[in-house]
Amino acid sequence: MASTAPTLSEQALIERVKAGESELFYQLIEAYQRAVFSAAYSVLANEADAEDVAQEAFLKAYSRLDQFRGECKFSTWLVQIAVNEARMRRRKDRKALYDSIDEGYQDESGDYFPCDYADWREIPSEALEQKELKTALSRAISSLKPMYREVFILRDVQGLNVRETAEALGLNEALVRTRLLRARLQMRDALAPGYDGSWVSGSASYKKVRPF
């Protein structure tokens, strides 16, 4: 039986790429391509732009690999680069691409107040496979203001913890928690059944939750 070559550890890959084995860089970043794309998308809300920025972020990561000191996870470092690149792209574009969800309202201090629905329950994971709900979810995420969308995607979609999200975005943890709460409330308002009552597709089990 042929033996299988042992998989290099991430740190070993980093050191070998730094030493000049550039062909190993793809192996180093392969597991993080989706996370970097999602980070860019969280800022830009545009798939084509996010793909471009993700590629730019990987190129910059390669050119700056000597600067990685291991003070945070390598994945977090990549996400930081992607977020910064995306923010620069957004500033250059200066396009009014982002509309906030308008079902709720904000007071003078900027605090967000959601619509008063009778009930809210978490969308079951299997329902996300439904085309209609996936479309609604995508639209809801895109309609978040960038500062909320960034936190929501990194924390709730990519699964970074609060500390990692704060590191990636250059925020303190308290602000991450505040923005995440507001993002979740706005997503609740955008996705909660209530206008006609339900998300239904075929034999979907996600039914009307209002008692009327």
Side-chain angles (χ1 to χ4, degrees):
M1 182 181 294
S3 61
T4 302
T7 302
L8 291 172
S9 70
E10 184 173 273
Q11 187 56 44
L13 281 171
I14 291 171
E15 294 304 323
R16 289 180 62 171
V17 174
K18 285 182 178 181
E21 296 184 65
S22 58
E23 68 278 5
L24 294 177
F25 184 68
Y26 178 77
Q27 186 177 339
L28 176 61
I29 65 171
E30 186 175 11
Y32 306 123
Q33 291 186 77
R34 185 65 189 174
V36 168
F37 169 81
S38 294
Y41 183 82
S42 75
V43 177
L44 298 167
N46 179 285
E47 290 189 1
D49 287 345
E51 288 176 359
D52 289 343
V53 165
Q55 293 304 311
E56 292 168 9
F58 284 128
L59 289 173
K60 185 160 288 188
Y62 176 73
S63 67
R64 295 182 177 179
L65 193 59
D66 282 339
Q67 299 176 19
F68 177 66
R69 301 290 181 244
E71 296 172 353
C72 63
K73 289 182 178 180
F74 181 69
S75 58
T76 302
W77 186 69
L78 288 175
V79 167
Q80 286 176 332
I81 293 174
V83 167
N84 289 336
E85 288 294 304
R87 286 173 173 173
M88 285 192 288
R89 169 72 67 93
R90 187 177 66 195
R91 284 195 294 269
K92 289 178 181 178
D93 287 348
R94 295 182 179 180
K95 294 177 181 178
L97 296 176
Y98 311 106
D99 296 317
S100 61
I101 297 172
D102 58 7
E103 284 82 0
Y105 69 93
Q106 290 182 333
D107 65 10
E108 294 179 355
S109 66
D111 285 331
Y112 180 79
F113 294 86
C115 296
D116 185 18
Y117 288 108
D119 190 13
W120 166 256
R121 58 180 66 169
E122 184 177 359
I123 300 170
S125 59
E126 63 268 20
L128 295 179
E129 296 302 319
Q130 299 173 36
K131 181 179 179 180
E132 294 87 349
L133 190 50
K134 289 179 68 175
T135 298
L137 181 61
S138 177
R139 288 176 178 171
I141 290 175
S142 295
S143 65
L144 291 172
K145 288 183 178 179
M147 65 178 177
Y148 298 134
R149 185 172 59 244
E150 293 168 7
V151 171
F152 181 81
I153 288 183
L154 294 185
R155 178 68 183 89
D156 282 358
V157 178
Q158 286 301 313
L160 273 64
N161 61 36
V162 171
R163 178 181 57 78
E164 292 167 343
T165 302
E167 289 177 350
L169 297 176
L171 305 173
N172 62 56
E173 293 183 19
L175 188 54
V176 166
R177 291 188 179 93
T178 297
R179 290 185 180 180
L180 180 62
L181 174 60
R182 293 175 181 174
R184 286 170 173 172
L185 290 173
Q186 292 180 60
M187 288 294 292
R188 187 203 74 168
D189 281 4
L191 295 174
Y195 296 110
D196 65 351
S198 61
W199 286 103
V200 176
S201 177
S203 59
S205 60
Y206 189 62
K207 300 296 186 179
K208 181 173 180 176
V209 298
R210 280 187 155 189
F212 49 85

